[in-house]
Amino acid sequence: MTRKDSPVLILGGGAWGLSTALHMVNSGYTDITILERAEQIPSRYSAAWDLNKIVRAEYEDPFYTDLALDAMEGWKTPLFRPYYHQTGYVVAATGRAPQKAIDHLEKALSSISSHPKFAPEIRQLDGAKDFKDHTWQYTGPLTGFKGYFNRIAGYAHSADALKGIWEHCASRGVKFVLGESAGRAVELLYENKTAFPSSSTGTGPQTGTTNHRCTGVRSADGKRHLADTTICALGAYGATLIPSLGNFAVARCWSVAHVQLTESETDYLRGIPTTNVRDLGFFFEPDPKTRLFKLCPLGSGYTNTDSNGLSLPPGDRLPPPQDYIPFEDEQKLRQLLRETFPWMAERPFVDQKLCWFADTADSEYCIDFVPGTDKSLAVLSGDSGHGFKMMPSFGKWVVELLERNEQKRPRWQWRSTDLRGKDWSASVSWRIGQSRELRDLIGDKDKMIKARL
C-alpha cells in the first residue's frame, strides 16, 4: 500500500494522469509530481488535446454503462461542469450501412432503452422526417436514416477540461515538470538494476520470481526523478517506457477534421445534438470560441507497427502526417455532410490531424501494477477510444488500486497475452472496416502530392 506522504510520480498530464492526481489529492496524498512532455497543458501528446469528446453511456456491457453514468454525474459537479454540455445524442445508421453498424446501433439502443434512468429519455427516429422534426437544422436528405435520440448524453470540451483540472491540481500542491527536455521520461529506474531505456525493442520489467522495484525515471535532460510509486499514464506512448505493455495495448490513431464556420453559421448550429452516424462518422455543435465544427470518421483506425510487431506513435515531436487525413476518411466525412448539412459538404477541412490512443482487443482498460516491479510501477492504459468520458471518476479507480495493493477486477488486470503482429481491429463490435498502417497513409499522401504536381 502506498503511504500518503510518500513521493508519487505520474508520467503524463492527459485526462487519466490529471484525474489520478486529482483523486489522490482528494484522498490525502501529499507528494505528487506529474511529468509531461508538452510545454503546457493541455498537452499536444494527449488524446484529449481536442475540442470535444462524446460523453454517453451506451455500452453493450452494463458494467461500463454504470461507470459512465457515474462519470456523467461527475461532469455536473462544480469542478467539471464548465466543460460539460448535455446537448443529447443522436445515433443513426444510413440506408447503406453494413449489417455490423446496424447491429451495434440496435445493441446500443437495447442497452439503454430498458435502463430505468434512460428509458423515459429515449426517442426512436425512423426516416428523414423524424430526424428533422427533432433537429430542425438537419437539411440534407438523411437517406434511409434510422436510429434514436438520447437526452442524457452530449459532449465535454476536452482541452478546456485538461487545462482546468491542471490549474486546480497545481493550486492544491501537485507539482508539474513540463517540457520536451525536463518533462519527457526516457528511462525507468530500478533498485539494484540497470535502468531500462525508452525504446520500442527494450525488454522492460519482466515477470518472474525476482522483483525489481521501480525507483522513478530519468528525464531527457538527464535529471533523475525518484519516487516510491511511479504511475505510467502515457496513453499511446506507454510502451516506449514499458515495451511489454505493447504486447496487448496497441498505439492506434483516428482522423479528426474541422470546418471553419462564420459567426452566424455557428449560431445557427448551436444546440444541435452530438450526432453519430455509425457507418460514416460523428460531429458536435460548433465551438463558440473558435467557430470550428469538428468531425471524425468512423473506422478501425491506423497503426504504426515496427519490425517487432509493436505499434507506437512516430518518434517525431509532432507525428506525421500533419494537416492531412486519409482520402477514404475525407470521403466519409463529405458524405456525412451531404446527408446532414449539404451546404457545408464542399468546404475545406482545416486543422486535420491523427489522434493517437492506446487500444486493446477487448476495449478493456488496464489499471494495474506491472508484474515484476514489487508493485512500485503502475500502468494506466487501454482507453480504446472510450476513456475520456470517465475523467471525473477515473482517478478513484487508481486510488483503489494503490490502497488495496492489487487490481481486484480481472478485466482491468495486466495481460500476459502477446497480440503483436495480429490485426484484431475488425473483431471489435463497434468498429467498421479494417485498420491500415501509417506508412501506407504517408505513401498515399506523397502520391497525391506528386499527382497534383
Side-chain angles (χ1 to χ4, degrees):
M1 178 176 175
T2 303
R3 296 195 327 271
K4 294 193 174 181
D5 62 348
S6 65
V8 175
L9 189 61
I10 300 173
L11 310 180
W16 284 5
L18 289 170
S19 180
T20 297
L22 173 65
H23 282 271
M24 292 189 74
V25 166
N26 289 344
S27 299
Y29 291 83
T30 59
D31 190 356
I32 304 165
T33 301
I34 291 183
L35 262 65
E36 169 52 52
R37 178 182 180 183
E39 303 294 334
Q40 62 183 8
I41 295 175
S43 164
R44 295 172 69 91
Y45 298 98
S46 167
W49 185 66
D50 203 352
L51 277 181
N52 36 41
K53 301 288 187 186
I54 296 173
V55 176
R56 48 85 187 174
E58 286 92 329
Y59 278 96
E60 296 175 17
D61 186 343
F63 172 79
Y64 281 105
T65 295
D66 291 340
L67 292 184
L69 281 171
D70 182 63
M72 289 165 76
E73 291 304 308
W75 282 109
K76 298 173 184 176
T77 60
L79 182 58
F80 284 94
R81 67 189 180 197
Y83 318 113
Y84 179 53
H85 306 277
Q86 190 170 294
T87 56
Y89 186 41
V90 165
V91 184
T94 73
R96 297 177 297 275
Q99 190 61 44
K100 186 177 182 182
I102 297 169
D103 290 345
H104 176 72
L105 187 153
E106 292 175 349
K107 289 177 182 177
L109 177 58
S110 175
S111 75
I112 58 173
S113 58
S114 59
H115 195 288
K117 186 174 182 66
F118 287 107
E121 310 295 345
I122 304 299
R123 175 181 171 184
Q124 294 198 46
L125 305 172
D126 188 353
K129 185 177 186 304
D130 275 3
F131 282 86
K132 291 180 179 180
D133 285 348
H134 183 271
T135 304
W136 64 271
Q137 292 99 326
Y138 295 148
T139 56
L142 304 169
T143 308
F145 271 41
K146 290 185 178 182
Y148 65 90
F149 170 75
N150 170 17
R151 190 186 68 83
I152 307 177
Y155 71 93
H157 196 300
S158 50
D160 284 359
L162 295 185
K163 184 174 185 292
I165 305 308
W166 166 45
E167 292 172 345
H168 176 82
C169 287
S171 74
R172 306 240 343 244
V174 176
K175 298 177 285 292
F176 289 83
V177 180
L178 305 178
E180 184 69 22
S181 180
R184 180 164 64 92
V186 296
E187 284 182 345
L188 290 168
L189 306 177
Y190 291 88
E191 194 174 65
N192 303 320
K193 187 77 176 177
T194 303
F196 293 111
S198 170
S199 80
S200 63
T201 57
T203 58
Q206 299 297 302
T207 58
T209 57
T210 302
N211 282 322
H212 299 291
R213 285 194 59 81
C214 179
T215 58
V217 303
R218 182 177 67 82
S219 51
D221 60 0
K223 184 175 179 179
R224 294 161 63 92
H225 302 265
L226 303 181
D228 286 356
T229 303
T230 301
I231 301 172
C232 180
L234 291 173
Y237 296 84
T240 60
L241 284 182
I242 309 171
S244 51
L245 174 62
N247 292 353
F248 63 88
V250 174
R252 192 180 303 278
C253 62
W254 283 321
S255 298
V256 180
H258 304 81
V259 176
Q260 183 67 66
L261 301 182
T262 66
E263 183 176 358
S264 62
E265 290 167 342
T266 300
D267 291 341
Y268 165 52
L269 294 182
R270 287 301 301 276
I272 63 170
T274 300
T275 300
N276 188 338
V277 182
R278 294 301 309 157
D279 49 316
L280 293 176
F282 58 91
F283 55 75
F284 306 79
E285 70 171 344
D287 177 53
K289 289 187 292 188
T290 62
R291 302 197 297 274
L292 287 173
F293 179 80
K294 175 188 163 183
L295 313 94
C296 298
L298 285 166
S300 292
Y302 309 94
T303 50
N304 185 43
T305 308
D306 66 15
S307 58
N308 297 297
L310 194 67
S311 176
L312 289 168
D316 312 61
R317 289 192 61 176
L318 291 176
Q322 294 297 313
D323 201 23
Y324 165 81
I325 61 173
F327 178 71
E328 61 261 37
D329 285 350
E330 179 175 351
Q331 291 298 97
K332 282 184 182 179
L333 295 183
R334 298 288 178 200
Q335 183 61 28
L336 175 63
L337 289 174
R338 281 191 286 269
E339 292 287 356
T340 53
F341 304 122
W343 54 270
M344 206 193 304
E346 302 307 319
R347 294 277 188 90
F349 288 153
V350 300
D351 191 20
Q352 302 172 96
K353 59 186 178 181
L354 300 176
C355 177
W356 288 91
F357 62 99
D359 199 22
T360 60
D362 54 9
S363 297
E364 296 280 8
Y365 306 153
C366 179
I367 307 171
D368 201 1
F369 296 108
V370 177
T373 64
D374 196 21
K375 300 183 179 180
S376 59
L377 175 63
V379 66
L380 318 178
S381 188
D383 63 281
S384 302
H386 68 108
F388 174 79
K389 72 171 71 65
M390 305 295 189
M391 186 179 183
S393 301
F394 189 90
K396 71 181 178 184
W397 307 328
V398 183
V399 172
E400 287 175 359
L401 173 72
L402 299 179
E403 297 188 348
R404 294 173 178 173
N405 218 31
E406 64 177 319
Q407 179 51 264
K408 293 184 177 294
R409 295 183 177 96
R411 65 173 70 213
W412 288 352
Q413 291 173 356
W414 179 270
R415 280 76 141 176
S416 59
T417 53
D418 187 351
L419 298 178
R420 286 178 300 168
K422 299 178 182 178
D423 183 7
W424 39 258
S425 58
S427 66
V428 179
S429 65
W430 51 281
R431 297 181 190 164
I432 309 300
Q434 294 287 139
S435 66
R436 292 182 61 196
E437 285 292 328
L438 182 65
R439 58 180 170 268
D440 297 332
L441 304 189
I442 295 174
D444 288 349
K445 183 183 180 186
D446 291 343
K447 290 177 183 176
M448 182 175 65
I449 291 172
K450 289 176 181 176
R452 287 176 178 170
L453 292 175

Coordinates of all heavy atoms in Angstrom, one line a residue, residues 23-72:
H23 N -7.7 12.8 -7.7 CA -8.3 11.9 -6.7 C -7.3 11.6 -5.7 O -7.7 11.3 -4.5 CB -8.9 10.7 -7.4 CG -10.2 10.9 -8.1 ND1 -11.4 10.7 -7.4 CD2 -10.5 11.3 -9.3 CE1 -12.4 11.0 -8.2 NE2 -11.9 11.3 -9.4
M24 N -6.0 11.5 -6.0 CA -5.0 11.3 -5.0 C -5.0 12.5 -4.0 O -4.9 12.3 -2.8 CB -3.7 11.1 -5.6 CG -3.6 9.8 -6.4 SD -1.9 9.3 -6.9 CE -1.2 8.8 -5.3
V25 N -5.0 13.7 -4.5 CA -5.1 14.9 -3.6 C -6.3 14.8 -2.7 O -6.2 15.1 -1.5 CB -5.0 16.2 -4.4 CG1 -5.4 17.4 -3.6 CG2 -3.6 16.4 -5.0
N26 N -7.4 14.5 -3.3 CA -8.7 14.4 -2.6 C -8.6 13.4 -1.5 O -9.3 13.4 -0.5 CB -9.9 14.2 -3.5 CG -10.2 15.4 -4.4 OD1 -9.8 16.5 -4.1 ND2 -11.0 15.1 -5.4
S27 N -7.8 12.3 -1.7 CA -7.7 11.2 -0.8 C -6.6 11.4 0.3 O -6.3 10.5 1.1 CB -7.4 9.9 -1.5 OG -8.5 9.6 -2.4
G28 N -5.9 12.6 0.2 CA -4.9 12.9 1.2 C -3.5 12.7 0.9 O -2.6 12.8 1.7
Y29 N -3.2 12.3 -0.4 CA -1.8 12.1 -0.8 C -1.1 13.5 -0.9 O -1.8 14.5 -1.5 CB -1.7 11.4 -2.1 CG -2.1 9.9 -2.0 CD1 -3.4 9.5 -2.0 CD2 -1.1 8.9 -1.8 CE1 -3.8 8.2 -1.9 CE2 -1.5 7.6 -1.6 CZ -2.8 7.2 -1.7 OH -3.2 5.9 -1.5
T30 N 0.1 13.7 -0.4 CA 0.7 15.0 -0.3 C 1.9 15.3 -1.2 O 2.4 16.4 -1.2 CB 1.0 15.2 1.2 OG1 2.0 14.2 1.6 CG2 -0.2 15.2 2.1
D31 N 2.4 14.3 -1.8 CA 3.7 14.5 -2.5 C 3.6 13.9 -3.9 O 4.0 12.7 -4.2 CB 4.9 13.8 -1.8 CG 6.2 14.2 -2.4 OD1 6.3 14.9 -3.4 OD2 7.3 13.8 -1.8
I32 N 2.9 14.6 -4.8 CA 2.6 14.1 -6.2 C 3.3 15.0 -7.2 O 3.2 16.3 -7.1 CB 1.1 14.2 -6.4 CG1 0.4 13.3 -5.4 CG2 0.8 13.6 -7.8 CD1 -1.1 13.6 -5.3
T33 N 4.0 14.4 -8.2 CA 4.6 15.1 -9.3 C 4.2 14.5 -10.6 O 4.1 13.3 -10.7 CB 6.2 15.1 -9.2 OG1 6.6 15.6 -7.9 CG2 6.8 15.8 -10.3
I34 N 3.8 15.4 -11.5 CA 3.5 14.9 -12.9 C 4.5 15.4 -13.8 O 4.9 16.6 -13.9 CB 2.1 15.5 -13.3 CG1 0.9 14.8 -12.5 CG2 1.9 15.3 -14.8 CD1 -0.4 15.3 -12.9
L35 N 5.1 14.5 -14.6 CA 6.0 14.8 -15.7 C 5.2 14.8 -17.0 O 4.5 13.8 -17.3 CB 7.1 13.8 -15.8 CG 8.5 14.2 -15.1 CD1 8.3 14.3 -13.6 CD2 9.5 13.1 -15.5
E36 N 5.3 15.8 -17.8 CA 4.6 16.0 -19.0 C 5.5 16.5 -20.1 O 6.1 17.6 -19.9 CB 3.4 16.9 -18.9 CG 2.7 17.3 -20.1 CD 2.3 16.1 -21.1 OE1 1.7 15.2 -20.6 OE2 2.7 16.2 -22.2
R37 N 5.6 15.8 -21.2 CA 6.5 16.2 -22.3 C 6.1 17.5 -23.0 O 7.0 18.2 -23.5 CB 6.4 15.0 -23.3 CG 7.2 15.2 -24.6 CD 7.0 14.0 -25.5 NE 7.8 14.1 -26.7 CZ 7.7 13.2 -27.7 NH1 6.9 12.2 -27.6 NH2 8.5 13.4 -28.8
A38 N 4.9 17.9 -23.0 CA 4.5 19.1 -23.7 C 5.0 20.3 -22.9 O 5.2 20.2 -21.7 CB 3.0 19.2 -23.9
E39 N 5.0 21.5 -23.5 CA 5.4 22.7 -22.8 C 4.3 23.3 -22.0 O 4.6 24.1 -21.1 CB 5.9 23.8 -23.9 CG 7.0 23.3 -24.8 CD 8.3 23.1 -24.1 OE1 8.5 23.7 -23.1 OE2 9.1 22.2 -24.6
Q40 N 3.1 22.9 -22.2 CA 2.0 23.3 -21.4 C 0.9 22.3 -21.4 O 0.9 21.4 -22.2 CB 1.5 24.7 -21.9 CG 1.0 24.6 -23.4 CD 0.5 26.0 -23.9 OE1 0.7 27.0 -23.3 NE2 -0.1 26.0 -25.1
I41 N -0.1 22.5 -20.6 CA -1.3 21.6 -20.6 C -2.5 22.5 -20.9 O -2.6 23.6 -20.4 CB -1.5 21.0 -19.2 CG1 -0.3 20.0 -18.9 CG2 -2.8 20.2 -19.1 CD1 -0.3 19.4 -17.5
P42 N -3.3 22.1 -21.9 CA -3.4 20.8 -22.5 C -2.3 20.4 -23.4 O -1.8 21.2 -24.1 CB -4.7 20.8 -23.3 CG -4.9 22.3 -23.6 CD -4.4 23.0 -22.4
S43 N -1.9 19.1 -23.2 CA -0.7 18.6 -23.9 C -1.1 18.2 -25.3 O -2.1 17.5 -25.5 CB -0.1 17.4 -23.2 OG 0.7 16.7 -24.0
R44 N -0.2 18.5 -26.3 CA -0.4 18.1 -27.7 C -0.2 16.6 -27.8 O -0.5 16.0 -28.9 CB 0.5 18.8 -28.6 CG 0.3 20.3 -28.7 CD 1.4 21.0 -29.4 NE 1.4 20.7 -30.8 CZ 0.7 21.4 -31.8 NH1 0.0 22.4 -31.4 NH2 0.8 21.0 -33.0
Y45 N 0.4 15.9 -26.8 CA 0.6 14.5 -26.9 C -0.5 13.7 -26.3 O -0.5 12.5 -26.3 CB 1.9 14.1 -26.2 CG 3.1 14.8 -26.9 CD1 3.6 16.0 -26.4 CD2 3.6 14.3 -28.1 CE1 4.7 16.6 -27.1 CE2 4.7 14.9 -28.7 CZ 5.2 16.1 -28.2 OH 6.2 16.7 -28.9
S46 N -1.5 14.4 -25.7 CA -2.7 13.7 -25.1 C -3.8 13.5 -26.1 O -4.0 14.4 -27.0 CB -3.2 14.5 -23.9 OG -4.5 14.1 -23.5
A47 N -4.5 12.3 -26.1 CA -5.6 12.1 -27.0 C -6.7 13.1 -26.7 O -7.6 13.3 -27.5 CB -6.1 10.7 -26.8
A48 N -6.7 13.7 -25.5 CA -7.7 14.7 -25.1 C -7.4 16.1 -25.6 O -8.1 17.0 -25.3 CB -7.9 14.7 -23.6
W49 N -6.2 16.3 -26.3 CA -5.9 17.6 -26.8 C -6.8 17.8 -28.1 O -6.5 17.5 -29.2 CB -4.4 17.7 -27.2 CG -4.0 19.0 -27.7 CD1 -4.0 20.2 -27.0 CD2 -3.6 19.4 -29.0 NE1 -3.5 21.2 -27.7 CE2 -3.3 20.8 -29.0 CE3 -3.5 18.7 -30.2 CZ2 -2.9 21.5 -30.1 CZ3 -3.0 19.4 -31.3 CH2 -2.7 20.7 -31.3
D50 N -8.0 18.3 -27.8 CA -9.1 18.3 -28.8 C -10.1 19.3 -28.3 O -10.2 19.7 -27.2 CB -9.6 16.9 -28.8 CG -10.3 16.5 -30.1 OD1 -10.5 17.4 -31.0 OD2 -10.7 15.4 -30.3
L51 N -11.0 19.6 -29.3 CA -12.2 20.5 -28.9 C -13.1 19.7 -28.0 O -13.6 20.3 -27.0 CB -12.9 20.9 -30.2 CG -12.4 22.1 -30.9 CD1 -13.3 22.4 -32.1 CD2 -12.3 23.3 -30.1
N52 N -13.5 18.5 -28.3 CA -14.6 17.9 -27.6 C -14.5 16.4 -27.8 O -13.9 15.8 -28.7 CB -15.9 18.4 -28.0 CG -16.0 18.7 -29.5 OD1 -15.5 18.0 -30.3 ND2 -16.6 19.8 -29.9
K53 N -15.2 15.7 -26.8 CA -15.3 14.2 -26.8 C -16.7 13.9 -26.4 O -17.3 14.6 -25.6 CB -14.3 13.6 -25.8 CG -12.9 13.9 -26.0 CD -12.3 13.2 -27.3 CE -10.8 13.4 -27.3 NZ -10.2 12.8 -28.6
I54 N -17.2 12.8 -27.0 CA -18.6 12.3 -26.7 C -18.6 11.9 -25.2 O -17.7 11.2 -24.8 CB -19.0 11.2 -27.6 CG1 -19.1 11.7 -29.1 CG2 -20.4 10.6 -27.2 CD1 -19.3 10.6 -30.1
V55 N -19.7 12.2 -24.6 CA -20.0 11.7 -23.2 C -21.3 11.0 -23.3 O -22.4 11.7 -23.5 CB -20.0 12.8 -22.2 CG1 -20.4 12.3 -20.8 CG2 -18.7 13.5 -22.1
R56 N -21.3 9.7 -23.2 CA -22.5 8.9 -23.4 C -22.4 7.6 -22.6 O -21.3 7.3 -22.1 CB -22.8 8.5 -24.8 CG -21.6 8.0 -25.6 CD -21.3 6.5 -25.5 NE -20.1 6.1 -26.1 CZ -19.6 4.9 -26.0 NH1 -20.3 3.9 -25.3 NH2 -18.5 4.5 -26.6
A57 N -23.5 6.9 -22.3 CA -23.4 5.7 -21.5 C -23.9 4.5 -22.3 O -24.1 3.4 -21.7 CB -24.2 5.9 -20.2
E58 N -24.1 4.6 -23.6 CA -24.5 3.4 -24.4 C -23.3 2.4 -24.5 O -22.2 2.8 -25.0 CB -24.9 3.8 -25.8 CG -26.2 4.4 -25.9 CD -26.2 6.0 -25.8 OE1 -25.3 6.5 -25.1 OE2 -27.0 6.6 -26.4
Y59 N -23.5 1.3 -23.9 CA -22.4 0.2 -23.9 C -23.2 -1.1 -24.1 O -24.2 -1.3 -23.5 CB -21.6 0.2 -22.7 CG -20.5 1.2 -22.6 CD1 -20.6 2.4 -22.0 CD2 -19.2 0.9 -23.2 CE1 -19.6 3.3 -21.9 CE2 -18.2 1.8 -23.2 CZ -18.4 3.0 -22.5 OH -17.4 3.9 -22.5
E60 N -22.5 -2.1 -24.8 CA -23.0 -3.4 -24.8 C -22.9 -4.1 -23.5 O -23.6 -5.0 -23.1 CB -22.3 -4.2 -25.9 CG -22.6 -3.7 -27.3 CD -21.8 -4.4 -28.4 OE1 -21.3 -5.5 -28.1 OE2 -21.7 -3.9 -29.5
D61 N -21.9 -3.6 -22.7 CA -21.6 -4.2 -21.4 C -22.2 -3.3 -20.3 O -21.7 -2.1 -20.2 CB -20.1 -4.3 -21.2 CG -19.7 -5.0 -19.9 OD1 -20.5 -5.1 -19.0 OD2 -18.5 -5.5 -19.8
P62 N -23.1 -3.7 -19.5 CA -23.7 -2.8 -18.5 C -22.7 -2.4 -17.4 O -23.0 -1.3 -16.8 CB -24.8 -3.7 -17.8 CG -24.5 -5.1 -18.2 CD -23.8 -5.0 -19.5
F63 N -21.6 -3.0 -17.3 CA -20.6 -2.6 -16.4 C -20.1 -1.2 -16.7 O -20.0 -0.3 -15.9 CB -19.4 -3.6 -16.4 CG -18.2 -3.1 -15.6 CD1 -18.1 -3.3 -14.3 CD2 -17.1 -2.6 -16.3 CE1 -17.0 -2.9 -13.6 CE2 -15.9 -2.2 -15.6 CZ -15.9 -2.3 -14.2
Y64 N -19.8 -1.0 -18.0 CA -19.4 0.4 -18.4 C -20.5 1.4 -18.5 O -20.3 2.6 -18.3 CB -18.6 0.2 -19.8 CG -17.2 -0.2 -19.6 CD1 -16.9 -1.5 -20.0 CD2 -16.2 0.6 -19.1 CE1 -15.6 -2.0 -19.8 CE2 -14.9 0.1 -19.0 CZ -14.6 -1.2 -19.3 OH -13.3 -1.6 -19.2
T65 N -21.7 0.9 -18.7 CA -22.9 1.8 -18.7 C -23.0 2.4 -17.3 O -23.1 3.7 -17.2 CB -24.2 1.1 -19.0 OG1 -24.2 0.6 -20.3 CG2 -25.4 2.0 -18.8
D66 N -22.9 1.6 -16.3 CA -22.9 2.2 -14.9 C -21.8 3.1 -14.6 O -21.9 4.1 -13.9 CB -23.0 1.0 -13.9 CG -24.3 0.2 -14.0 OD1 -25.3 0.8 -14.5 OD2 -24.3 -0.9 -13.5
L67 N -20.6 2.7 -15.0 CA -19.4 3.6 -14.8 C -19.6 4.9 -15.5 O -19.3 6.0 -14.9 CB -18.1 2.9 -15.3 CG -17.7 1.7 -14.5 CD1 -16.3 1.2 -15.1 CD2 -17.5 2.0 -13.0
A68 N -20.1 4.9 -16.7 CA -20.3 6.1 -17.5 C -21.4 7.0 -16.8 O -21.3 8.2 -16.8 CB -20.7 5.8 -18.9
L69 N -22.4 6.4 -16.3 CA -23.5 7.2 -15.6 C -22.9 7.9 -14.4 O -23.2 9.0 -14.1 CB -24.6 6.3 -15.2 CG -25.6 5.9 -16.3 CD1 -26.6 4.8 -15.8 CD2 -26.4 7.1 -16.8
D70 N -22.0 7.2 -13.7 CA -21.4 7.8 -12.5 C -20.5 8.9 -12.9 O -20.5 10.0 -12.3 CB -20.6 6.7 -11.8 CG -19.9 7.3 -10.5 OD1 -20.6 7.7 -9.6 OD2 -18.7 7.3 -10.5
A71 N -19.7 8.7 -14.0 CA -18.9 9.8 -14.5 C -19.7 11.0 -15.0 O -19.3 12.1 -14.8 CB -18.0 9.3 -15.7
M72 N -20.8 10.8 -15.6 CA -21.7 11.9 -16.0 C -22.2 12.7 -14.9 O -22.3 13.9 -15.0 CB -22.8 11.3 -16.9 CG -22.4 10.8 -18.2 SD -23.6 9.8 -19.1 CE -24.7 11.0 -19.7

